[in-house]
Amino acid sequence: EGNYDDALKTLTQSLQTMVRTRPPPPAGTPPQVLDRKLARQALLDLKKVLDGAGVNFFLRSGTLLGCMREGNFLEHDKDIDIGVFETIGKDTLLELITAAEYFTQPADPHAEQNTVSFSVQHRNTTGFDIYFYRDTGDHYTTDCFIPGRSYTKTFTKFTLKPARFIGTSFLVPDNHDLYLTELYGNWREPDHYFDSMISSRNLDAGNEKVSLCYACSRIVDAVQKSDNERASAYCKQALELDPGNKVVTQVQNWLQA
């Protein structure tokens, strides 16, 4: 808890310094997003590996949202989101995937600390985030890792059903409408800057300070990259967490100046 207090204080000071010492940055280069053609090939290769090993996996988060709303990967998405049930261990699944010629695990200084998810990269540079879902009796939960801790998203239980995506069949939650609503709220209305670490509707209670810290970090990063639109969007999300935050309000006004 103390670490997040210190981090939030440092980030707040950084935001105050930016507002006080320099004009708003000019618009920069848009952030890198998925190449849909490469993403399609990468997902098909992962499907080949996991289907061949008899491992059930399903589309989740932004990839599920793209499947259901767009019939394709979201134009603004940066990676592919996959879920598996905790009937297979993290190390076993990671070894299975990276044993294939297509995939490697990117360097991550926190990989050993993170016991709840992992990332892999296809050789065409498409990234995957793979999360485990735990059966708690009444619900499924999945844990989100950030350095120093993890926190939980809770979903109404679901079974899996096939859905057409990128020309073939993938498994998805059978209650996909409810799943997406629990995560995003109004998922039918596009929000390119929605960040699940900040604004997910089903995060466990008591993590508002962590989410605010994460939002401020995103604001600083966006400003440093001259991505004013993204910085403003994160300001909006931060103010939904803490409506009276004067520093974030100052940054928001500064970006609009």
Side-chain angles (χ1 to χ4, degrees), residues 109-136:
H110 305 291
E112 291 188 7
Q113 291 178 270
N114 182 1
T115 61
V116 298
S117 65
F118 64 87
S119 298
V120 294
Q121 187 175 62
H122 190 271
R123 61 188 177 190
N124 70 15
T125 73
T126 300
F128 290 79
D129 286 336
I130 301 177
Y131 281 76
F132 293 85
Y133 283 65
R134 180 183 307 112
D135 187 341
T136 62

Side-chain angles (χ1 to χ4, degrees), residues 196-211:
S196 63
M197 299 292 279
I198 303 168
S199 298
S200 291
R201 304 302 194 267
N202 58 345
L203 284 173
D204 54 344
N207 283 294
E208 292 80 6
K209 185 177 295 183
V210 179
S211 293

Side-chain angles (χ1 to χ4, degrees), residues 147-166:
R149 68 176 295 169
S150 62
Y151 56 107
T152 302
K153 297 176 186 176
T154 301
F155 293 91
T156 300
K157 290 189 78 170
F158 53 85
T159 58
L160 298 177
K161 67 176 183 181
R164 296 292 293 178
F165 184 58
I166 60 171

Side-chain angles (χ1 to χ4, degrees), residues 31 71 84 105 120 125 141 156 213:
V84 294
Q105 184 179 27
V120 294
T125 73
T141 62
T156 300
C213 186

Side-chain angles (χ1 to χ4, degrees), residues 45-55 57 82 93 96-97:
D45 285 341
L46 183 70
K47 177 177 172 60
K48 179 180 178 181
V49 171
L50 296 185
D51 285 355
V55 176
F57 71 98
I82 297 299
L93 184 60
L96 171 67
I97 294 173

